[in-house]
Amino acid sequence: IAGITQAPTSQILAAGRRMTLRCTQDMRHNAMYWYRQDLGLGLRLIHYSNTAGTTGKGEVPDGYSVSRANTDDFPLTLASAVPSQTSVYFCASSDSVGSNEQFFGPGTRLTVL
Amino acid sequence: GQNIDQPTEMTATEGAIVQINCTYQTSGFNGLFWYQQHAGEAPTFLSYNVLDGLEEKGRFSSFLSRSKGYSYLLLKELQMKDSASYLCAAMDSNYQLIWGAGTKLIIKP
């Protein structure tokens, strides 16, 4: 692994289904983030983690949950998907909170029907 | 509230210079970031300013005025590969990034 990876690349999901988006980084970064990107809007922070074992809510956390059991992994779960969660999801990491650079994964394109 | 404003789209000619402006309003301020995002790809870091003034990095420069809540990204000697969206983001007092919607830059030969 080099950098930060996400899986799946894309997914079509029926409304009401549960879905987990995976994110793994090998840079030993302490901080990790989940964003969604929608046309005409800026990236919006869903959840973040400043260090393993801690998580926090961002701007748009409703309908999403995260966990940070170790440094490398930061999965995002949609408990019961709704069409408004159709978006491109980016995972990112940084050395620490407030670092001057966040590194982004390639993104997951999610469509909820 | 917190807000980032930048133009939706700009067009420039290959070899020319273009300036992309960004104004911001945040609760506290811990720096201004510019990222580049090619269509269908992830954002990649371009620059970071926390003090007033100009930071130059090759063909790209970024300027910050904290008193005016204003930044710009200057791209010189434009190349076709510079066609992308440019995202402005300000870091607030909680060290979270507030993002603009991005400026789509179209380069014409």
Side-chain angles (χ1 to χ4, degrees):
Chain A
I1 298 176
I4 184 165
T5 60
Q6 294 182 234
T9 303
S10 65
Q11 182 74 45
I12 299 174
L13 189 66
R17 298 295 297 269
R18 180 184 179 89
M19 177 74 190
T20 295
L21 308 185
R22 300 185 297 279
C23 174
T24 300
Q25 53 101 2
D26 66 354
M27 298 175 282
R28 307 305 292 172
H29 283 170
N30 287 306
M32 296 187 75
Y33 315 85
W34 274 106
Y35 293 96
R36 59 177 290 172
Q37 187 174 41
D38 302 291
L39 197 63
L41 299 177
L43 288 160
R44 291 182 290 169
L45 183 65
I46 304 171
H47 285 285
Y48 64 93
S49 169
N50 292 338
T51 189
T54 70
T55 62
K57 294 181 179 181
E59 179 187 355
V60 289
D62 294 343
Y64 306 94
S65 64
V66 291
S67 61
R68 185 89 184 278
N70 57 61
T71 298
D72 298 346
D73 301 300
F74 191 44
L76 176 74
T77 297
L78 290 68
S80 179
V82 295
S84 62
Q85 292 177 312
T86 294
S87 187
V88 179
Y89 291 86
F90 286 103
C91 179
S93 71
S94 64
D95 182 51
S96 62
V97 173
S99 288
N100 63 357
E101 182 175 357
Q102 291 185 11
F103 295 82
F104 283 78
T108 293
R109 183 174 296 275
L110 182 67
T111 302
V112 182
L113 301 176
Chain B
Q2 306 199 100
N3 192 52
I4 307 288
D5 284 319
Q6 54 182 127
T8 301
E9 186 174 298
M10 298 182 70
T11 301
T13 304
E14 190 177 14
I17 299 172
V18 70
Q19 178 175 311
I20 303 174
N21 297 323
C22 170
T23 58
Y24 65 90
Q25 287 180 301
T26 54
S27 301
F29 179 77
N30 283 297
L32 193 291
F33 297 75
W34 286 95
Y35 279 74
Q36 181 189 60
Q37 186 177 25
H38 285 100
E41 298 183 6
T44 55
F45 173 80
L46 287 177
S47 69
Y48 167 70
N49 295 66
V50 68
L51 300 176
D52 287 355
L54 188 68
E55 295 276 347
E56 296 186 77
K57 191 186 296 185
R59 294 189 299 115
F60 292 7
S61 302
S62 56
F63 172 83
L64 176 66
S65 169
R66 295 184 63 161
S67 63
K68 295 182 179 179
Y70 168 71
S71 174
Y72 68 72
L73 180 69
L74 191 71
L75 292 75
K76 303 175 185 176
E77 302 169 14
L78 286 170
Q79 302 175 9
M80 297 305 292
K81 68 178 182 179
D82 297 330
S83 292
S85 288
Y86 291 86
L87 314 182
C88 175
M91 184 171 280
D92 69 11
S93 57
N94 294 318
Y95 296 98
Q96 292 186 3
L97 287 177
I98 309 302
W99 296 82
T103 298
K104 182 178 181 180
L105 179 63
I106 299 167
I107 310 294
K108 295 187 174 180

